[in-house]
Amino acid sequence: MKNEIKIFSPATVANVACGFDVLGFCLDSIGDEMVIRKTDKKGIHITKIEGFDLPFEASLNVAGVSALAMYEAANPDCGFEIEIYKNIKPGSGIGSSAASAVGSVFGMNELLGKPYNKTELTQFAIKGEALASKCEHADNLAPAIFGGFTLVKSVSPLEVLEIPVPENLYATIIHPQIEIKTSESRAILPKEVPLQDAITQWSNFGSLIHSLHTSDYDLIQKSLHDVIVEPYRSKLIPHYREVKESALQNGALGAGISGSGPSIFTLSKGLENAKNVKEAMEKVYSKTGITFEMYLTKINTEGIKIL
Ligand code: HSE
């Protein structure tokens, strides 16, 4: 059995407009790399972090906390070293903490001979994610582990449903280089919602799931609306309305806040449309003076993988 493994832990988009805290999908071209190594010395030790300034103390690091949760459950006769090569900026809205949280447990599981299934790995990773967002939810974790679109049917007990990915679906994402902390963008949300808004939201959510099962792009377009969370969080993202309108006018099926922001995601049918959407969003933001990154990717159906 191997003693060391290098993995790619992908970025993800959570919420997907109408699926707050339950729906997410996996991205292809952006993610973190991590090296996990078995050691004689017991315990979890983070030995290297590149890319961003994050704590080395395992109990204070998202990857460390999920690793500790699994380590306590597995009680192996070895320890683990973790190296983190972080490409996803913390506070970006594309699942930075989730990528860290799943990376450590996925790597350790491989080195232990895969004692845990994907749902169990997600369960351990929830502990790490909770350190960052102050709340246990799995809508970024599940797509990173399972790939594709995932629906977190329930957190306790954890139940994840895999939703089919229409063949010709592309995501374009703009990431303004400002940081929004998940815990803070959760704190501004209302505790109660009007019944009419709830009705609209679950109608859109149900039809979005149906549209993904049937590859019905028109229905995807009609379903990608969020009347509950977007009105609050969009205020935190500079030029949100202009970017969204420009994406929709240039052929996007829909657009919304990626996770807790500030990234904005769009979905498009076909690469050409996705490229036009990218150009349109880029045009809006290049006039603002705010630096930004852009990503155009197919939906990653594989999820986290060994490199
Ligand atoms: N569903 C979460 C939120 C994703 O929007 O707060 C970010 O962790």
Side-chain angles (χ1 to χ4, degrees):
M1 209 177 285
K2 279 193 199 168
N3 280 328
E4 182 176 313
I5 196 168
K6 188 173 186 185
I7 53 140
F8 172 78
S9 194
T12 45
V13 169
N15 301 336
V16 200
C18 46
F20 180 69
D21 266 5
V22 296
L23 190 63
F25 64 82
C26 188
L27 302 177
D28 222 1
S29 56
I30 170 160
D32 295 341
E33 289 183 11
M34 292 167 79
V35 173
I36 317 292
R37 192 175 299 115
K38 252 185 184 176
T39 56
D40 292 335
K41 186 176 164 194
K42 290 248 214 173
I44 301 294
H45 305 279
I46 299 171
T47 52
K48 203 175 201 182
I49 302 175
E50 284 185 7
F52 294 95
D53 195 14
L54 295 166
F56 277 81
E57 175 66 45
S59 62
L60 302 176
N61 182 297
V62 168
V65 170
S66 55
L68 284 168
M70 180 168 156
Y71 191 73
E72 275 163 30
N75 194 23
D77 59 359
C78 64
F80 291 94
E81 280 179 6
I82 302 172
E83 295 178 4
I84 305 170
Y85 300 90
K86 201 117 193 84
N87 296 314
I88 317 170
K89 191 174 185 285
S92 58
I94 50 171
S96 177
S97 51
S100 296
V102 303
S104 55
V105 295
F106 175 84
M108 285 163 60
N109 193 48
E110 292 290 324
L111 295 178
L112 290 172
K114 293 198 193 180
Y116 297 110
N117 65 27
K118 289 180 178 180
T119 303
E120 289 165 328
L121 292 182
T122 309
Q123 187 79 64
F124 295 127
I126 285 178
K127 301 296 172 202
E129 173 75 68
L131 179 73
S133 58
K134 315 279 178 259
C135 163
E136 295 201 347
H137 57 93
D139 53 341
N140 281 113
L141 303 167
I145 289 184
F146 288 80
F149 278 87
T150 56
L151 165 54
V152 181
K153 167 80 180 70
S154 139
V155 172
S156 184
L158 183 64
E159 195 180 340
V160 176
L161 307 180
E162 293 182 77
I163 310 295
V165 179
E167 177 60 31
N168 219 5
L169 202 57
Y170 288 80
T172 311
I173 291 162
I174 185 162
H175 172 204
Q177 302 288 295
I178 56 169
E179 182 177 346
I180 295 182
K181 285 197 164 55
T182 299
S183 53
E184 287 167 14
S185 79
R186 292 183 81 82
I188 63 167
L189 299 178
K191 298 282 169 280
E192 289 170 8
V193 297
L195 181 61
Q196 190 51 52
D197 287 350
I199 293 168
T200 304
Q201 197 86 350
W202 61 56
S203 150
N204 281 329
F205 184 68
S207 60
L208 178 59
I209 297 299
H210 182 71
S211 67
L212 294 171
H213 273 275
T214 52
S215 294
D216 183 339
Y217 293 91
D218 291 337
L219 191 57
I220 293 176
Q221 181 168 24
K222 285 193 258 175
S223 309
L224 282 171
H225 302 290
D226 170 13
V227 297
I228 291 181
V229 176
E230 185 188 71
Y232 293 88
R233 285 185 169 172
S234 57
K235 294 176 192 146
L236 303 175
I237 305 170
H239 309 282
Y240 178 76
R241 289 275 150 220
E242 289 153 78
V243 172
K244 180 171 173 176
E245 269 161 34
S246 166
L248 295 177
Q249 278 163 12
N250 284 276
L253 295 169
I257 301 168
S258 176
S260 54
S263 291
I264 302 167
F265 83 94
T266 67
L267 287 173
S268 303
K269 182 181 182 185
L271 184 57
E272 278 315 304
N273 277 329
K275 281 184 185 163
N276 290 340
V277 168
K278 179 170 180 271
E279 220 172 274
M281 291 162 87
E282 204 162 12
K283 212 165 164 187
V284 172
Y285 241 84
S286 41
K287 291 184 200 140
T288 66
I290 302 169
T291 50
F292 61 94
E293 297 275 351
M294 295 213 64
Y295 309 104
L296 194 171
T297 97
K298 276 214 91 162
I299 312 300
N300 172 357
T301 51
E302 189 183 2
I304 191 165
K305 64 178 179 193
I306 300 168
L307 290 174

